[in-house]
Amino acid sequence: FFNCLSLQGLGIGGPYLKFTALNNIGIILNELRNHVNARRYLTLALKIAESEEYIFEKCHVLNNLAASFLYEGRIENALANYRLSYQLGYRNSFQNIVIESCLGIGQCYEIKGEYSTALSFYQRSIENIENVRNRLTSDIFMIGFGRNKLTAYQRAITIIADQYAARPSCILIEKIFNLIERARAQAFLEKVHKARISFGEITSSGPINKQQIGYKRMSELTWMLENHELLAENGIMLSNELEREEEEYARLISEMKNEGIINKEGLQKEICNISRVQAQIIDKNTALLEYFIGEKESYLIFISSNSVSLSVLAGRTEIERSIRAYLKMISDNSVEKEVGFK
């Protein structure tokens, strides 16, 4: 934070360095709940980003301004900034911007109690997340989920689960099942296939070499963010660098696909529905449990050969605490062997 203040105060460096310092100060102040001063610095950053060459940066600072208003409960101000960011991001094909702005717009409408509109924007955010994942290879997406892209899935599931609680229906529980499957499938693929790319022919060509260097740098940045105690401003700078690397990586992979260097086959898009699951259940004594662990609420879908039901469970923290206590209990030698099965 003080490094950013020093850079800004000295007035050294080009416009991009000044923008980065002002934007990062604004983000830090926002996290410290000093929203008025946060917006003062973010507004200064926005003035620098008015140039055509800084449209991407302008979108980010608009999202940051919107988040500041959202934290204060000034929903209309937040909506105005998120919408402008969304329009610019959509017009310029900045899918990360569209993902974040749609998520923010959805949160605003959810607070306003306009749940159908909120859900439509969460779904738009999810569609862009999955479009990016299907357009690129799976290695980059582990990084994306590491930065909490699951929030859109979670909020969409919560809204539909509330609708189901008020009026249970097969259509609603199918929608919940579909979203849970999509979120779990994406997260699983990111972890398992993080460096698998289907090349037509592996060579030492320039684009492939750039792709490998880019992936290595993104992996390094992700490791640094996840495994080190960082000062707030250093973490923000690393996150900014990671996002720039992702955008460049996205552009490079798109070019490689157009040139035939990378196989254009996407990931399997089809999600198995509940009826197909039920058809594969062998007898009436067998059931499938499908779950989603959320921060505030978790969801369990119980599927048997002839029925399906939804249960709302506790959030992640409470579940993890209970599991630790349970594992300690069953591992205690003084406990009867049968205790874990009761």
Side-chain angles (χ1 to χ4, degrees):
F1 176 70
F2 289 110
N3 288 340
C4 290
L5 278 177
S6 299
L7 286 172
Q8 190 268 332
L10 290 171
I12 61 175
Y16 189 82
L17 181 59
K18 292 177 182 177
F19 167 85
T20 301
L22 291 167
N23 183 60
N24 289 351
I25 292 169
I27 292 172
I28 294 165
L29 289 172
N30 208 35
E31 292 297 320
L32 295 172
R33 301 185 182 279
N34 188 347
H35 303 302
V36 174
N37 280 324
R39 286 194 292 272
R40 184 164 66 87
Y41 283 100
L42 291 171
T43 301
L44 291 172
L46 187 60
K47 289 180 180 178
I48 296 174
E50 288 298 336
S51 168
E52 285 294 318
E53 63 181 308
Y54 294 122
I55 294 177
F56 182 73
E57 288 76 12
K58 180 178 181 179
C59 291
H60 272 297
V61 78
L62 284 168
N63 280 337
N64 292 334
L65 279 167
S68 177
F69 284 120
L70 183 61
Y71 291 157
E72 279 193 325
R74 297 172 62 179
I75 306 305
E76 295 304 324
N77 297 87
L79 269 174
N81 284 279
Y82 276 132
R83 282 175 179 148
L84 182 54
S85 176
Y86 170 74
Q87 290 165 5
L88 290 171
Y90 181 80
R91 193 181 308 150
N92 291 277
S93 301
F94 297 148
Q95 287 192 293
N96 277 341
I97 298 297
V98 172
I99 289 166
E100 296 299 332
S101 57
C102 283
L103 177 59
I105 293 171
Q107 289 176 281
C108 290
Y109 279 112
E110 189 175 353
I111 292 170
K112 286 162 66 76
E114 299 179 30
Y115 299 111
S116 295
T117 306
L119 182 59
S120 71
F121 277 98
Y122 291 147
Q123 289 172 330
R124 204 172 301 180
S125 182
I126 290 168
E127 286 167 6
N128 278 274
I129 290 170
E130 293 178 351
N131 184 39
V132 170
R133 282 159 171 68
N134 289 326
R135 181 163 56 89
L136 305 181
T137 52
S138 59
D139 46 8
I140 189 174
F141 309 134
M142 183 186 66
I143 297 168
F145 264 91
R147 289 159 42 179
N148 204 23
K149 292 294 191 295
L150 275 173
T151 303
Y153 289 92
Q154 182 171 320
R155 288 186 172 272
I157 291 168
T158 297
I159 290 175
I160 301 173
D162 288 343
Q163 293 174 347
Y164 180 84
R167 185 173 296 181
S169 76
C170 295
I171 294 174
L172 290 176
I173 202 166
E174 187 74 67
K175 288 181 178 180
I176 296 169
F177 179 79
N178 180 271
L179 279 171
I180 291 175
E181 280 286 286
R182 286 159 68 183
R184 285 165 56 84
Q186 294 292 348
F188 174 77
L189 287 172
E190 287 159 10
K191 291 178 181 178
V192 173
H193 302 293
K194 66 179 182 179
R196 292 184 184 173
I197 300 175
S198 179
F199 291 105
E201 181 179 356
I202 301 294
T203 68
S204 58
S205 67
I208 289 178
N209 186 47
K210 288 180 181 178
Q211 177 270 327
Q212 292 169 337
I213 292 171
Y215 174 66
K216 181 180 178 182
R217 181 56 183 158
M218 286 189 297
S219 298
E220 290 171 350
L221 289 168
T222 305
W223 184 84
M224 290 169 69
L225 284 166
E226 292 178 350
N227 294 278
H228 290 274
E229 294 290 335
L230 297 171
L231 294 175
E233 69 271 19
N234 292 336
I236 292 168
M237 289 178 181
L238 287 175
S239 294
N240 290 342
E241 183 181 352
L242 177 57
E243 185 134 14
R244 289 196 298 273
E245 289 287 348
E246 286 181 350
E247 291 294 332
E248 175 61 20
Y249 190 92
R251 184 195 63 76
L252 179 61
I253 293 294
S254 181
E255 289 179 2
M256 291 168 71
K257 284 188 174 180
N258 291 335
E259 295 171 9
I261 298 174
I262 290 182
N263 192 332
K264 295 184 180 182
E265 293 293 327
L267 298 175
Q268 181 79 16
K269 290 186 178 181
E270 183 182 0
I271 297 294
C272 186
N273 59 34
I274 291 175
S275 297
R276 287 177 59 187
V277 172
Q278 289 179 315
Q280 297 178 52
I281 293 177
I282 56 176
D283 57 46
K284 63 180 182 180
N285 296 318
T286 304
L288 173 81
L289 302 180
E290 177 79 346
Y291 65 90
F292 181 88
I293 306 296
E295 296 305 316
K296 294 182 179 179
E297 287 184 346
S298 301
Y299 306 94
L300 174 69
I301 298 179
F302 179 92
I303 304 174
S304 69
S305 58
N306 57 8
S307 67
V308 56
S309 62
L310 174 70
S311 298
V312 179
L313 308 176
R316 180 184 303 278
T317 301
E318 188 174 340
I319 287 175
E320 289 178 347
R321 189 186 305 120
S322 299
I323 289 174
R324 283 195 295 270
Y326 178 74
L327 292 175
K328 183 177 184 302
M329 180 185 68
I330 63 174
S331 64
D332 191 336
N333 292 330
S334 65
V335 178
E336 295 179 7
K337 294 181 181 179
E338 293 83 6
V339 71
F341 300 96
K342 290 184 178 180

